Amino acid sequence: MNITKLFRPLGTLIASTAVIAALATAPAVTNAASVTGTMTLGGGSYTLVGGTDFSDATGISFDSTTIVSTGATDALGSTVGFGTLGTVADFDFDPLASSIAGFIEIGGWSFQLDTATAVTPRSTGELFIGGTGTLTGNGYEATAARWSFSSNNLNDYSMTVTAVPVPAAAWLFASGLLGLAGAARRRAT
């Protein structure tokens, strides 16, 4: 029995583990971090598009594209304080034909709306829409985010954007899998 062949996989596994550990403990680059936090936004009046009331509307046309922050947390809170002004774009949500880049722009952040679905069953007196998209800006990497819109009259509304960063553990796990795949490939040759 060749002792070198016996310990070669163990050596590869140890080397892969060392690389993963080095990557996991390396200092993070500030502008490569995922966005964290939630921002709550409010606005004034708007007009429903494609319907007669909340139950059958297919879109929203804002009377003013100006929105105001009513609060934010974590990384978002560092630039979006209470009263920060931003903009929001008109949109069709039933169905959302395509992504809307720059759907919300506020405090150096930009939110691209990728999906939007009205919560059903819809009533004539209120409208709730949920969606997903990507949040970018202020030197942070693009981060997946959830978005919601709610209103029970045509005179005001509220929106929330919540960043949903991929946990560091997921990146570490993926790095480990790549290392094991490399070890298996090397072992096969």
Side-chain angles (χ1 to χ4, degrees):
M1 176 178 218
N2 187 343
I3 194 95
T4 308
K5 284 187 175 181
L6 181 63
F7 286 104
R8 183 176 288 158
L10 182 61
T12 303
L13 181 62
I14 291 171
S16 297
T17 304
V19 168
I20 292 168
L23 290 172
T25 59
V29 178
T30 306
N31 61 357
S34 295
V35 180
T36 58
T38 298
M39 65 176 146
T40 307
L41 310 165
S45 59
Y46 59 93
T47 305
L48 295 173
V49 176
T52 57
D53 58 34
F54 290 122
S55 68
D56 61 358
T58 61
I60 295 176
S61 175
F62 297 98
D63 295 344
S64 170
T65 58
T66 301
I67 54 175
V68 63
S69 169
T70 57
T73 62
D74 297 332
L76 292 172
S78 66
T79 58
V80 181
F82 182 82
T84 302
L85 296 179
T87 60
V88 63
D90 297 342
F91 71 108
D92 291 325
F93 59 85
D94 192 11
L96 180 66
S98 63
S99 295
I100 303 172
F103 176 63
I104 296 172
E105 301 275 345
I106 188 168
W109 300 104
S110 180
F111 177 70
Q112 174 178 306
L113 183 63
D114 294 327
T115 67
T117 305
V119 176
T120 56
R122 291 167 51 187
S123 72
T124 58
E126 55 193 358
L127 179 61
F128 299 99
I129 306 169
T132 60
T134 306
L135 191 58
T136 58
N138 292 313
Y140 287 82
E141 68 182 29
T143 303
R146 291 186 309 261
W147 166 83
S148 66
F149 172 96
S150 63
S151 181
N152 58 9
N153 64 62
L154 297 175
N155 296 319
D156 64 1
Y157 60 89
S158 66
M159 287 191 272
T160 303
V161 177
T162 303
V164 185
V166 175
W171 292 113
L172 183 60
F173 179 71
S175 298
L177 287 177
L178 288 173
L180 290 174
R185 181 173 174 224
R186 184 173 181 187
R187 184 176 174 195
T189 57

